Amino acid sequence: HDRHDITKKDMEKCLKNLAIISDSMKNLIKYLKTMNYDLIIISDSNTFLIETILKHNGLLEYFLHSETKIFANHAHFDSKGQLKVKPYNLVFHSNTQEKFHCQQSQYCKANMCKGQILENYLKQKMKNENILPDQIDLIYIGDGKIDFCAGTRLFSSNHLFFVRDNMALKKLLQQSNYLKFIIEKICYWKNGDDILNQILSK
């Protein structure tokens, strides 16, 4: 920041010009919302990047109906206009500053275990809505090794683990010693249409 004087507006302009979310993925998100799915994002990115990208694509409103919709490292700009990012574990464990110590995956990080975050979210949902695990239709979409742990937390025939084709997560799962930890159905995808078509044929 001090060297290049990159401002918040500069970052927003850059993110606006990047075609990060495809039309097929936008259509998928909109379809899931019309079908009353809860839409959540669990990401090791930060809230500024995520919310800015969603806003520029007309999707932010789909994720901000409650404060638990986006689980990511917290970002804000200080008085000098410099972007500051607080690790998610310091937000989640704000009092104890406890780090995540995942026993199920070496690919989780001290600041974020996507499996634990997903599991906690599901437990809270079941408690709040007084529903059983098999009453939850869950679709988890991932592409990186850090998503592996979340795949190990899927526990119902109503749960689908969507793994992006030719990306790090698929390559990891192709190793037999990792694939055995995923008990629910794995679906591979290249774009939002692939995911939507598999959902509709379920």
Side-chain angles (χ1 to χ4, degrees):
H1 177 266
D2 292 338
R3 182 181 301 175
H4 300 289
D5 194 28
I6 302 298
T7 68
K8 180 179 180 180
K9 288 185 177 180
D10 293 329
M11 295 184 198
E12 290 175 334
K13 183 179 179 180
C14 178
L15 292 171
K16 185 176 182 179
N17 292 332
L18 293 175
I20 294 176
I21 303 179
S22 66
D23 288 340
S24 64
M25 192 59 73
K26 292 178 189 178
N27 292 335
L28 172 65
I29 291 171
K30 292 175 181 178
Y31 170 80
L32 293 175
K33 193 61 180 179
T34 62
M35 298 304 292
N36 295 317
Y37 276 82
D38 290 344
L39 299 178
I40 70 171
I41 292 175
I42 307 175
S43 174
D44 195 27
S45 182
N46 65 74
T47 52
F48 168 72
L49 289 177
I50 294 169
E51 292 177 9
T52 301
I53 292 168
L54 290 174
K55 181 179 179 181
H56 288 324
N57 285 274
L59 298 171
L60 183 58
E61 62 181 290
Y62 293 91
F63 294 90
L64 290 185
H65 292 296
S66 83
E67 61 184 16
T68 60
K69 297 295 184 181
I70 298 177
F71 302 89
N73 303 302
H74 180 72
H76 74 280
F77 288 85
D78 64 14
S79 58
K80 297 191 300 182
Q82 185 174 21
L83 179 65
K84 300 285 189 178
V85 179
K86 176 185 286 188
Y88 179 75
N89 66 296
L90 299 186
V91 178
F92 185 71
H93 302 292
S94 57
N95 294 327
T96 63
Q97 297 191 357
E98 180 182 348
K99 295 180 180 180
F100 284 95
H101 296 286
C102 181
Q103 302 299 314
Q104 296 187 225
S105 171
Q106 61 179 308
Y107 301 107
C108 293
K109 301 180 180 180
N111 68 300
M112 176 165 288
C113 167
K114 290 191 176 185
Q116 188 62 60
I117 294 169
L118 177 63
E119 188 173 302
N120 290 344
Y121 181 85
L122 292 174
K123 287 180 179 178
Q124 192 62 49
K125 180 178 177 64
M126 289 186 286
K127 179 180 178 181
N128 292 344
E129 301 180 16
N130 193 27
I131 56 178
L132 299 173
D134 59 4
Q135 293 177 290
I136 298 177
D137 288 332
L138 188 148
I139 299 162
Y140 187 92
I141 303 170
D143 60 13
K145 291 181 179 180
I146 195 173
D147 293 297
F148 168 72
C149 188
T152 67
R153 310 298 177 109
L154 306 185
F155 52 80
S156 167
S157 59
N158 293 328
H159 296 178
L160 297 176
F161 188 28
F162 280 93
V163 175
R164 192 170 186 179
D165 202 13
N166 297 321
M167 297 294 283
L169 179 59
K170 181 181 179 181
K171 294 174 183 177
L172 177 68
L173 292 176
Q174 286 175 330
Q175 302 175 34
S176 59
N177 57 322
Y178 285 105
L179 191 59
K180 66 183 180 181
F181 292 106
I182 309 298
I183 62 174
E184 300 308 331
K185 183 178 180 182
I186 295 177
C187 304
Y188 296 105
W189 64 280
K190 293 182 179 179
N191 55 53
D193 289 338
D194 292 338
I195 299 172
L196 181 56
N197 289 335
Q198 293 185 72
I199 293 172
L200 293 175
S201 64
K202 180 182 174 184

